[in-house]
């Protein structure tokens, strides 16, 4: 009886050992599979170096786009270097009466990772803006869904959607007359400085890239400080300006009769000089010379 029990026990042990060895062998020959696919994701990476990257500017006459929105996208995983892009939805984000849809926007069809891409209005979008009652220099916001597609075989999902808030703004054009009127506001239109009786009538100022010269009246001698005159321009206020103008002096002329000034204007968002003939105001500033007509003389300070 004992021998029979021992035999049965040995048989059971042998069976269990065989099963155990079989499982180990199966584990070696059929290892678990590893998931080597990745989630495809796209995000707005960073703004371009230009101001108001997320804004589309429309010319004041509402006939063309004067500035496209410049966007940059980041794609993950790193194996994705570019993707196809299309606009799939547009929604208003404020009280604008203007309804725009996907046919009114256009984006580059192929977008490269971390490279600027242009988003703009199509001609149908421009036409809708032209026919709408939009207030100039006011931002109208639209949430634009951009769908990215990649056929990379390592991706679990082939599409990713990014929602970008885009501002549409109709430019308020700053004209030559607007700029002249701003300069003429200094000290209520007449530059007078301590040190003598000379005064300069700014009503004769005319904007020119080469500069404008205004000759004094009443100069009966004395010494005038150019810096004091410059500071009068700093006090100008105007709805079109973001800040008061900044005026700086140049070296006084050799005979001491002429003081030259460069006046820098910075306009509020939405106010732009559209006429290329006066674009120099943005880069070079406004040049003005004040010339004494008598025995007086200028000094810088």
């Amino acid at each position: 009886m004992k021998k029979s029990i021992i035999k049965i026990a040995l048989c059971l042990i042998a069976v269990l050992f065989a099963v155990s060895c079989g499982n180990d062998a199966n584990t070696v020959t059929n290892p678990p599979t590893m998931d080597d696919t990745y989630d495809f994701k796209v995000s707005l990476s960073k703004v371009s170096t230009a101001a108001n990257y997320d804004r589309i500017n429309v010319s004041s006459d509402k006939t063309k786009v004067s500035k496209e929105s410049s966007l940059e996208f980041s794609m993950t995983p790193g194996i994705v270097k570019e993707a196809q892009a299309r606009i799939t939805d547009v929604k208003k984000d404020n009280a604008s009466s203007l309804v725009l849809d996907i046919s009114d926007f256009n984006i580059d069809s192929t977008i490269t990772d971390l490279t600027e891409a242009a988003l703009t209005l199509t001609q149908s979008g421009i036409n809708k803006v032209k026919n709408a009652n939009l207030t100039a220099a006011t931002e109208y916001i639209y949430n634009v869904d951009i769908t990215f597609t990649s056929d990379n075989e390592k991706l679990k999902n082939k599409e990713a959607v990014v929602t970008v808030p885009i501002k549409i703004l109709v430019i308020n054009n700053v004209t030559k007359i607007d700029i002249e009127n701003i300069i003429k506001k200094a000290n209520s239109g007449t530059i007078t400085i301590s040190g003598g009786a000379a005064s300069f009538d700014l009503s004769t100022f005319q904007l020119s890239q080469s500069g404008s010269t205004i000759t004094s009246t009443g100069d009966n001698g004395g010494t005038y400080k150019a810096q004091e005159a410059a500071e009068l321009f700093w006090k100008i206020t105007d709805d079109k300006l973001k800040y008061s103008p900044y005026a700086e002096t140049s070296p006084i002329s050799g005979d001491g009769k002429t003081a030259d000034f460069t006046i820098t204007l910075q306009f509020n968002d939405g106010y732009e000089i559209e006429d290329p003939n006066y674009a120099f105001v943005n880069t070079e500033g406004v040049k003005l010379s004040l010339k004494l007509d008598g025995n007086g003389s200028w000094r810088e300070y």
Side-chain angles (χ1 to χ4, degrees):
M1 182 66 178
K2 288 183 179 179
K3 290 182 178 180
S4 297
I5 293 172
I6 291 171
K7 286 181 178 180
I8 292 170
L10 290 173
C11 287
L12 288 173
I13 291 171
V15 169
L16 291 174
F17 179 77
V19 170
S20 175
C21 290
N23 286 341
D24 289 343
N26 186 61
T27 300
V28 173
T29 58
N30 299 289
T33 58
M34 300 295 291
D35 186 359
D36 60 350
T37 59
Y38 305 91
D39 291 325
F40 177 39
K41 297 179 181 180
V42 181
S43 60
L44 191 61
S45 174
K46 66 176 184 177
V47 302
S48 66
T49 55
N52 297 308
Y53 76 101
D54 58 351
R55 197 171 77 190
I56 299 172
N57 289 350
V58 178
S59 61
S60 60
D61 61 4
K62 302 180 183 178
T63 61
K64 61 181 181 295
V65 169
S66 60
K67 186 191 80 67
E68 299 175 334
S69 174
S70 184
L71 306 172
E72 186 176 278
F73 297 93
S74 174
M75 304 177 192
T76 56
I79 56 175
V80 181
K81 300 303 181 184
E82 68 176 27
Q84 303 303 304
R86 68 187 191 279
I87 296 168
T88 50
D89 195 21
V90 177
K91 293 184 179 70
K92 291 193 304 180
D93 194 38
N94 58 3
S96 169
S97 59
L98 175 61
V99 177
L100 298 174
D101 56 41
I102 60 175
S103 67
D104 299 319
F105 289 88
N106 183 64
I107 192 165
D108 295 342
S109 59
T110 301
I111 294 179
T112 304
D113 182 43
L114 297 178
T115 302
E116 287 184 11
L119 176 67
T120 189
L121 289 172
T122 61
Q123 190 58 52
S124 69
I126 294 172
N127 292 340
K128 287 181 181 180
V129 170
K130 186 173 183 178
N131 294 324
N133 185 25
L134 301 185
T135 303
T138 300
E139 293 176 338
Y140 296 89
I141 303 173
Y142 294 82
N143 289 315
V144 178
D145 284 355
I146 303 171
T147 298
F148 292 81
T149 304
S150 173
D151 59 1
N152 191 297
E153 62 183 10
K154 293 291 186 179
L155 300 178
K156 293 179 182 177
N157 53 305
K158 302 300 183 182
E159 292 189 343
V161 180
V162 180
T163 300
V164 180
I166 295 296
K167 304 165 188 172
I168 295 177
L169 181 144
V170 177
I171 291 301
N172 192 321
N173 182 33
V174 180
T175 66
K176 173 179 182 285
I177 293 176
D178 291 331
I179 297 168
E180 289 173 346
N181 287 338
I182 289 171
I183 300 301
K184 291 174 184 179
K185 283 186 173 184
N187 204 43
S188 300
T190 303
I191 298 293
T192 56
I193 311 159
S194 59
S199 64
F200 301 86
D201 181 6
L202 295 178
S203 66
T204 61
F205 170 73
Q206 291 188 331
L207 182 64
S208 168
Q209 187 167 10
S210 60
S212 178
T213 299
I214 297 175
T215 302
S216 70
T217 58
D219 174 25
N220 57 2
T223 302
Y224 302 90
K225 298 178 182 179
Q227 184 62 32
E228 186 178 334
E231 292 174 4
L232 294 176
F233 293 100
W234 299 355
K235 299 175 182 179
I236 294 174
T237 59
D238 189 275
D239 292 340
K240 297 177 179 62
L241 296 177
K242 181 176 290 187
Y243 310 108
S244 292
Y246 176 71
E248 59 183 351
T249 63
S250 299
I252 304 300
S253 64
D255 60 4
K257 295 298 183 183
T258 303
D260 296 327
F261 303 86
T262 300
I263 304 167
T264 302
L265 304 178
Q266 186 170 353
F267 299 102
N268 276 319
D269 286 346
Y271 290 81
E272 293 183 7
I273 301 170
E274 292 186 310
D275 189 337
N277 291 318
Y278 302 104
F280 66 86
V281 172
N282 295 321
T283 55
E284 302 172 24
V286 176
K287 292 181 172 57
L288 173 64
S289 298
L290 300 180
K291 183 177 181 179
L292 294 166
D293 69 340
N295 297 322
S297 61
W298 287 103
R299 62 186 177 95
E300 288 193 51
Y301 299 97

